[in-house]
Amino acid sequence: MTLKLDVFDDFHVHGASAPEWNQRYLQVSPGAMHSSLAEVTTDSIHVFRKWMSERVIQQGCLPNGKICFAIPLGKFAGTPRMQGHEMHEDSVVVLRGGDEFTLQRPKGMELMAVTFELDEFRRLSDERPWAPGPRALLSRSVLRAPGRAMQRLRYDLLSLFDETSTTDPCKSEAINDQSVSRGVFEALCELFDGAADARQPVGSASASFIVAQCHWMVAGSGDSPPSVEELCLRLRTSRRTLQNSFRQVADATPVHYLRCVRLNAVRRQLMSTRAMDLNIAQAAADRGFNHLSHFAQRYKALFGELPSQTMRGRTCASSQDGDGQSYEA
C-alpha cells in the first residue's frame, strides 16, 4: 500500500491533483483557502480523505471502470449536498464510472471515500452476492445507513491510514492488497444490508436543478453574463423561487454565487497564463468585469489577495504546487 499526503493553498491547484477526475472547484466563501488530501492506494482500491477550509462547489466525473463510495467525517457547519440531495452524518454517496457530480461542500468539511476498480468490485460481488434490496441501492446517488454500520466502515477506512503510516516498509509484503479490499467490501456489505431495511428519504432536486442551470448559463456566457432577470425568463421561474433555490442549495444569493462563478473563472485564467500573454484587465473583461477597480476589490474579498498578487503561469495540471510528501508502506 502507498500513502500520500498533500496540502494546498489554492483550490484550483488542488482540483488539478487528480486530472483523471476532471475536477473543478468553485470557492464561494471569502478567505484564503487551505486544504489537505491524504490517500492510500492498493492495486484495487483507492481511499482518500479530503478537507477544505472554505465553502466550495466541487464538480467532476468519476473515471470509467470504477465505483466510488463517500462518507462525511467529523463536524461541519452547514448542510452538504450531492447531486441536489442533502448529506448527513449517516449519508453515503455512490458514484459509478462516468457519473458527473456536483458536491456543495460547507466550510471545514472533511470527506472520506473509497474507489474500487469495477472488475475487483464485481469479483468480490461474485464471491459474496448481494441480496436484491441492497443491490438496488447502488443506483442511488445518496442513501442513509445505520449508525453501527457507518461506524464500522469509517473505522475500517481510517485504520488503513494508521496501518500504512506505521508499517515498516521492509515488511510491506505482510499487507495483502486483496485482503484489504475484501475487508472494505465486507464493511460495505453490512452497510448496504442495513440501509435496505431503513427508510430512504425521497427529496426534490428542483432547487439544485435551478442552481445548476444558472451556473452553466453564466459559466458559458463569456463577457456577457445574464442578469438574474434574464435567468428567471430563461428558466421560466420567479425571482423569489430563484432566490430561495440559491439560499437552500448554496447558502448564498444568486448575485453572490454567480459572481463567484465568474471570479473563479478569472482566477483560473490568470493562474494558467503568463502576464505577458494576458493582462488582468483583459482577463476580467472576458468574464464581464468592466470596472477594474470594482473587480479587484471583489477578487480580494473572495480570495484574500489582489489579482496582481496571484501567481501567474502557475500550472493547474499538476499537484506539484502542493507542499506534499509521499512514501510507500
Side-chain angles (χ1 to χ4, degrees), residues 20 69 80 164 198:
E20 67 277 10
F69 305 89
T164 308

Side-chain angles (χ1 to χ4, degrees), residues 119 149 154 164 210 231 234 289:
D119 288 343
R154 283 196 182 96
T164 308
I210 289 174
L231 292 171
R234 293 187 194 182
F289 294 104

Side-chain angles (χ1 to χ4, degrees), residues 304-318:
E305 65 180 22
L306 290 168
S308 59
Q309 297 172 315
T310 295
M311 189 177 297
R312 301 298 302 273
R314 185 178 187 181
T315 177
C316 285
S318 168

Side-chain angles (χ1 to χ4, degrees), residues 13-34:
V13 177
H14 190 158
S17 65
E20 67 277 10
W21 283 66
N22 191 28
Q23 293 189 99
R24 303 168 301 283
Y25 293 122
L26 171 71
Q27 181 177 342
V28 179
S29 63
M33 67 74 60
H34 303 284

Side-chain angles (χ1 to χ4, degrees), residues 119-258:
D119 288 343
E120 172 70 359
F121 190 82
R122 287 170 174 165
R123 183 187 69 80
L124 293 167
S125 298
D126 289 339
E127 290 182 0
R128 187 199 187 286
W130 289 18
R135 180 171 290 276
L137 292 177
L138 288 172
S139 64
R140 296 180 65 99
S141 298
V142 180
L143 58 101
R144 307 288 289 272
R148 183 175 180 179
M150 284 290 291
Q151 289 175 2
R152 178 189 171 183
L153 180 60
R154 283 196 182 96
Y155 177 84
D156 286 359
L157 294 179
L158 289 171
S159 66
L160 294 179
F161 293 91
D162 294 334
E163 291 175 10
T164 308
S165 62
T166 58
T167 299
D168 185 343
C170 297
K171 299 179 180 179
S172 60
E173 66 274 9
I175 301 177
N176 185 287
D177 283 356
Q178 285 195 353
S179 67
V180 169
S181 61
R182 184 176 292 108
V184 174
F185 181 82
E186 288 296 330
L188 285 169
C189 289
E190 179 183 332
L191 186 147
F192 274 77
D193 282 341
D197 296 329
R199 176 176 294 181
Q200 296 298 330
V202 179
S204 171
S206 59
S208 293
F209 174 80
I210 289 174
V211 172
Q213 290 299 303
C214 291
H215 183 126
W216 291 117
M217 288 180 192
V218 170
S221 64
D223 60 0
S224 301
S227 66
V228 170
E229 290 75 13
E230 290 171 327
L231 292 171
C232 290
L233 287 173
R234 293 187 194 182
L235 293 173
R236 298 181 180 180
T237 189
S238 69
R239 187 184 184 99
R240 181 175 182 179
T241 298
L242 193 79
Q243 291 174 332
N244 289 340
S245 296
F246 275 88
R247 288 290 188 189
Q248 178 183 345
V249 173
D251 194 26
T253 65
V255 170
H256 174 75
Y257 180 100
L258 297 172

